[in-house]
Amino acid sequence: MNKRNLIPIREYESFVSDREAAGCITLPEHTFEQLEKFLLLNRGRGDDALELMGLSARKGIGKMITAKNYIGLIAMNDGTMIEILPKICSKTGDGDSRVKRLVVEMLRSLRDMPYKSVQTAHVNVDRMNLFEIFIRMFLDEVFAIVKRGLQSGYKAVESNENTVKGKIVFPEHIKRNFAHKERTFVKFDEFNHNRPENKLIKAALLYLYRKTTSIRNKADIKTLLNMFAGVDASTDHEGDFIKCVSERNMWDYETALLWCRVFLTGRSFTSFAGSEVAYALLFPMEILFERFVALKLKKLLSGNEFQVSVQDRTYHLFDDPDKRFSMRPDIVVRRKSDGVIFVMDTKWKLLSNAKANYGIAQADMYQMYAYQKKYAANSVILLYPMTDMVSDKAIEFHSGDGVTVRVMFLDLFELAGSLKKIYTLLKN
């Protein structure tokens, strides 16, 4: 994969096929068709209502593919890599390097994913695409394992030996050694580094050595492969993942093995199908935004003043004849001094003055209304990413029967300042 095969795109930007169109990015016809087939095959998969990308057509332009909802990487079989970055508005600018660092920081909020322990300060994101950044993080984990020493394990071995060790396998011994009395066919346990965890790491290193275009990453992979010289590369990835053990002495391997699963099976946040795509590492921004904000807000508020619950399941919409339709607001905050409750939901959507009701979905307002009634909340708040398309930054809706829904905007590059405004509201 050469650098010229990397095609960056932002949310809400569009691809067109083999033609010039204002505000659009041109893809070769074959690549456009591959991407279209991939999107059609994965449309409506599972319970996730989000679309990977939007498919449409415009008079005079033809078919268009628009980035929406998901960010990450799509590697096509023709060698093209599409890097999708989120559309983020900020008072301080949104250069690609800042956005990449923010994306990696947001990925850390995902549970059971390898991103939660990453550090980005030493990663040169200016010269790396997301794929190379992910490789760098994996290599850092493997270097840490090598520094502490590869874990060994016992492996069952059957072999014709000159000395007796372990158990003699008599049927095989008689068959093989009738004319070789000096040899014995035995079965024994050998203690070595050739355990499934190390085999998976070596398989991932070999795979990434073929895929990386970073000189530094390639050199470091070569160094690590020398450290794994006595380890066989895994050829049955799923089988070896099943054999991995969760023991105290293997905890150092946890993050590296999560990376192995990402690289060897193409599983990022969710899985995608399609023979037209080599691999897809894609993440829904709705979930990233929700979990990132919840993590930061919980860290800010947890303490003596507030009790914070994420994805709270205290109430159902109906209680009779039994509990039905679970309510699960993103964030519920209880002020300890007086028990006052605040309910918040995050929505990854750019609001605009040009849209009816700023573009706020009616279903979201029904949801917030129900939250206020069930939780008897002092305030219910919708949290959206900052946008330059809304002039009024203090949006409130009053129902006339005691429900007020506030809309607040978060600057993800200056999140501490945005969260401080929320803290002030909750404190007062």
Side-chain angles (χ1 to χ4, degrees):
M1 180 184 64
N2 300 320
K3 287 187 177 180
R4 65 175 180 271
N5 296 122
L6 175 68
I7 302 176
I9 190 172
R10 291 286 189 100
E11 271 187 302
Y12 312 115
E13 292 181 342
S14 300
F15 288 123
V16 292
S17 175
D18 272 342
R19 70 185 65 200
E20 295 292 330
C24 297
I25 300 170
T26 301
L27 282 182
E29 184 176 359
H30 178 63
T31 303
F32 187 95
E33 290 176 353
Q34 283 187 318
L35 182 59
E36 182 182 22
K37 288 178 182 177
F38 171 68
L39 298 175
L40 289 172
L41 184 60
N42 287 280
R43 177 171 281 183
R45 287 171 58 87
D47 297 326
D48 194 348
L50 298 177
E51 285 186 77
L52 298 180
M53 288 181 162
L55 297 171
S56 61
R58 186 181 298 175
K59 187 177 181 181
I61 295 177
K63 292 182 180 179
M64 299 176 65
I65 296 176
T66 303
K68 54 186 295 187
N69 298 320
Y70 282 79
I71 56 99
L73 298 160
I74 302 175
M76 316 299 292
N77 285 332
D78 65 2
T80 301
M81 177 176 283
I82 297 170
E83 179 185 73
I84 310 168
L85 294 177
K87 171 70 172 175
I88 297 176
C89 295
S90 173
K91 297 175 182 177
T92 56
D94 63 344
D96 280 359
S97 62
R98 296 189 75 205
V99 173
K100 288 177 188 177
R101 287 188 185 278
L102 178 60
V103 166
V104 175
E105 180 70 15
M106 294 177 80
L107 288 171
R108 295 177 62 189
S109 63
L110 295 179
R111 297 184 295 272
D112 301 322
M113 294 300 290
Y115 317 97
K116 59 179 180 284
S117 63
V118 304
Q119 301 295 326
T120 60
H122 66 292
V123 178
N124 188 359
V125 298
D126 296 320
R127 297 184 179 182
M128 290 184 176
N129 60 54
L130 285 176
F131 185 58
E132 297 293 351
I133 294 172
F134 293 163
I135 293 175
R136 183 72 255 156
M137 295 172 186
F138 170 64
L139 297 183
D140 287 347
E141 290 291 334
V142 181
F143 270 117
I145 290 172
V146 169
K147 184 177 181 180
R148 290 185 289 265
L150 298 183
Q151 291 294 328
S152 301
Y154 286 99
K155 180 183 179 183
V157 176
E158 293 186 359
S159 176
N160 221 6
E161 300 287 329
N162 291 322
T163 58
V164 177
K165 50 184 175 179
K167 296 180 180 179
I168 300 174
V169 184
F170 283 102
E172 199 67 24
H173 172 68
I174 295 169
K175 182 171 70 174
R176 291 179 180 233
N177 297 323
F178 180 77
H180 296 278
K181 304 300 182 183
E182 77 284 1
R183 301 179 71 82
T184 307
F185 194 90
V186 294
K187 181 178 181 179
F188 59 94
D189 290 330
E190 184 177 70
F191 192 68
N192 56 35
H193 294 315
N194 216 27
R195 59 183 298 156
E197 294 87 351
N198 291 331
K199 292 168 70 175
L200 287 165
I201 290 175
K202 183 165 185 179
L205 289 170
L206 290 170
Y207 170 78
L208 295 174
Y209 188 79
R210 298 191 301 269
K211 296 295 182 182
T212 183
T213 59
S214 164
I215 295 174
R216 181 189 174 192
N217 283 349
K218 190 173 282 286
D220 284 347
I221 292 173
K222 193 171 183 179
T223 298
L224 287 170
L225 284 172
N226 289 333
M227 306 293 185
F228 282 77
V231 177
D232 297 332
S234 171
T235 55
D236 177 11
H237 302 153
E238 289 297 340
D240 282 331
F241 276 119
I242 292 172
K243 294 176 186 175
C244 290
V245 296
S246 179
E247 298 174 346
R248 187 173 182 179
N249 65 332
M250 296 302 297
W251 288 351
D252 292 341
Y253 278 70
E254 181 182 1
T255 302
L257 289 174
L258 288 170
W259 276 118
C260 287
R261 189 173 289 278
V262 168
F263 291 127
L264 296 176
T265 67
R267 295 179 186 175
S268 46
F269 186 85
T270 186
S271 59
F272 302 99
S275 59
E276 305 296 332
V277 169
Y279 56 86
L281 304 177
L282 297 169
F283 309 89
M285 276 303 300
E286 179 83 15
I287 304 298
L288 280 179
F289 182 60
E290 168 197 313
R291 296 190 180 176
F292 180 61
V293 172
L295 181 71
K296 295 294 185 180
L297 197 56
K298 187 172 185 179
K299 184 177 180 180
L300 173 68
L301 298 179
S302 292
N304 296 327
E305 292 183 274
F306 301 100
Q307 179 184 348
V308 182
S309 175
V310 176
Q311 296 291 304
D312 189 82
R313 301 191 184 193
T314 302
Y315 295 106
H316 289 71
L317 189 59
F318 299 102
D319 298 313
D320 187 55
D322 52 19
K323 294 183 181 299
R324 298 284 180 92
F325 301 102
S326 175
M327 305 183 80
R328 193 162 61 179
D330 293 339
I331 305 161
V332 174
V333 180
R334 291 174 174 84
R335 197 163 60 198
K336 292 182 179 180
S337 62
D338 54 11
V340 168
I341 295 174
F342 303 86
V343 180
M344 288 173 265
D345 250 21
T346 53
K347 304 295 179 183
W348 182 256
K349 186 176 184 180
L350 296 182
L351 300 188
S352 171
N353 286 331
K355 299 177 181 177
N357 298 320
Y358 303 97
I360 299 171
Q362 189 162 328
D364 292 340
M365 297 304 280
Y366 287 157
Q367 187 179 48
M368 300 308 288
Y369 184 92
Y371 287 161
Q372 196 282 331
K373 291 298 183 182
K374 273 292 182 178
Y375 282 82
N378 176 273
S379 183
V380 286
I381 307 167
L382 280 169
L383 301 175
Y384 288 89
M386 177 175 281
T387 174
D388 55 8
M389 296 183 291
V390 174
S391 56
D392 185 0
K393 301 300 184 182
I395 301 174
E396 293 186 0
F397 297 92
H398 305 276
S399 68
D401 62 352
V403 178
T404 296
V405 178
R406 290 182 171 89
V407 175
M408 300 186 72
F409 297 93
L410 304 179
D411 185 339
L412 291 176
F413 291 131
E414 301 292 336
L415 190 57
S418 296
L419 295 183
K420 188 175 180 180
K421 294 179 181 178
I422 296 175
Y423 173 78
T424 301
L425 173 65
L426 303 185
K427 191 176 177 68
N428 298 325

